[in-house]
Amino acid sequence: MFSFPKPSYEQFFHTYPIQTFAVSRDEKKLMYSTNMSGSYEVWRMNLSTGFSQPITSIGQSNFGMTFSKDGQSLITSFDNDGDENAQIYALPESGGELLPLLTGEGDRFMIGELTDDGNTLYYTTTKDNSTFLNICSYDLVTGNHYVMIEGKDAAHMFITASKSGKVAYMKLFANSHSPAFILANGKTIPLANDSEQSHNVAGGQFIGEDTFYYLTNEGSETSDLVKIDVTTEKIEKLTDEPHEDFTSMSYDKQKQLLYLVSSSGVEDTLYVYDIQASTLVQTELPVSIVEKLHIGESGALYLLGRGATSPFNLYRRRENEKWAPLTEFSIPGIDEKELSEPDVITYRSFDDTEIEALYFKAHRENNNGKLVLWPHGGPQASERKSFRAMFQAMTYAGFSIIAPNFRGSSNYGKTFMKLVEGDWGYGPRLDNVHCLDYMIEEYGYKKGETLLVGGSYGGYMALLLHGRHPEYFKAVVDIFGVSNLFSFYHSVPEFWKPIMKTWIGDPETDKERFTRDSPITYLSSMTKPMLVVQGANDPRVVQEESDQIVEALRAQGSELDYLVLDDEGHGFSKKKNEINVTKKINEFLLKFV
């Protein structure tokens, strides 16, 4: 009867990320942060009816939330226009005015957890220790604050605490080296046989006062479940799954079960470890990627996740039931079958290292024959089967996208992840080049016709590839990218600074490499049209990184557009900004079809 127009570019962005969520102890209410109204607000869901409504009007990104014991209020945190300096507030469960609890200009307060009695909040903060951080407790009854652990020699991060106040925490020496410890009765107990050996600890749970379960890759490539007897300090490895990499843990106290998320390669899997039976069994997931898993008091599972073609959604699984959606966000007017589910491909790089990549094919009717190379951010992260509205909009517009998980990417073992440390600009760069060579040879794309788009470290890589390999590209987009390793080294947040020598090197002793690996060294080779995007409040890659290369390129007469977002940081928190910027990127790329 009716003939409707094809979906517009903006239509792909009419879905809504969910940052985090919290469930009340009686499991009648669920709070979550989403930008359904155009900017991030806290929404309250009635779990019996499914009805949701916004209860804040702050318009800022959320950095954690937990219910008070009585369920009448929420302890939550927000930053200011992307500056990532989270401030902690109390919020009535019915909504209304925020009550400041832990705030301070230029300081960051990270919610840890609330004690079972609801009287004490553990948190980590940059206040009075911006480099190494302090782990503190806040007595919600008296209003008193206590510094429990004063950070020294590395950034300290709270993990969890026992009922009696034993505190598990980790030290961040590098992204690939974050050993953990327990402070018990004034004694520091390492959660490793050798804390100096490079390894990570992820997640932890006290089972009683004297047993602590945690995830670590000490002595192996991937993380397994381990426990320590806090009294005897005996460590015991409980699983040995070389093809799984456990990254998070949730505890079902009633059934004595641990739910373990394994993040290997481009997808997640979920396992259940029975503490009493010492068994590990895989269980179903409704998504490809798990963002957060929570176990309710009833034993019900609450999950936030997404897939390559399915946006962020919340799910619940009750006993003897299947997963059921609590939200059903999708792209309005577009069938999921019309979206691009990526192929997982592998290729060999310059030194025969095997690299995995995601290949998003263009919409069959709109295919314009152009390939977009997307080097991911991090760099110690990875591109996974996670919904990106920009990817789906671009593939529907006719572009294909190749996203390689080059050396240094996470989820491929400890050794692979460490390969980027001290080598930002050689191995990973050549992995991207060999990815293009593979796509040219195997899929028939043309050298010199590729489009290059990257954000954060991917923005750095886009600039570097443009400067060193311009013959591959027709146009380049840099989003929040590092342009100069020397200035970047000194401009990062204070608590990043202890890891910088391990991460990228020393600007004095590695001066030659810093120069060689800085994109700004190759200005004369940056001959392709460019679009540069930057958030004015970005605390990770500050505006100076974009300003200096834009000014230098303009001085030499390069073709360049520069867009600065005054109310954003390292990403998009405002829906209008996300739509406007990505639409501009799409329009820019379409000029070169």
Side-chain angles (χ1 to χ4, degrees), residues 365-383:
E365 295 177 5
N366 304 327
N367 192 340
N368 59 35
K370 293 297 182 183
L371 179 68
V372 176
L373 173 65
W374 171 268
H376 65 71
Q380 288 166 311
S382 57
E383 194 61 43

Side-chain angles (χ1 to χ4, degrees), residues 168-195:
Y169 65 98
M170 73 175 186
K171 295 183 180 183
L172 182 61
F173 290 102
N175 291 332
S176 59
H177 184 40
S178 53
F181 306 84
I182 290 176
L183 180 63
N185 303 318
K187 182 180 180 180
T188 299
I189 302 168
L191 301 183
N193 294 301
D194 181 2
S195 293

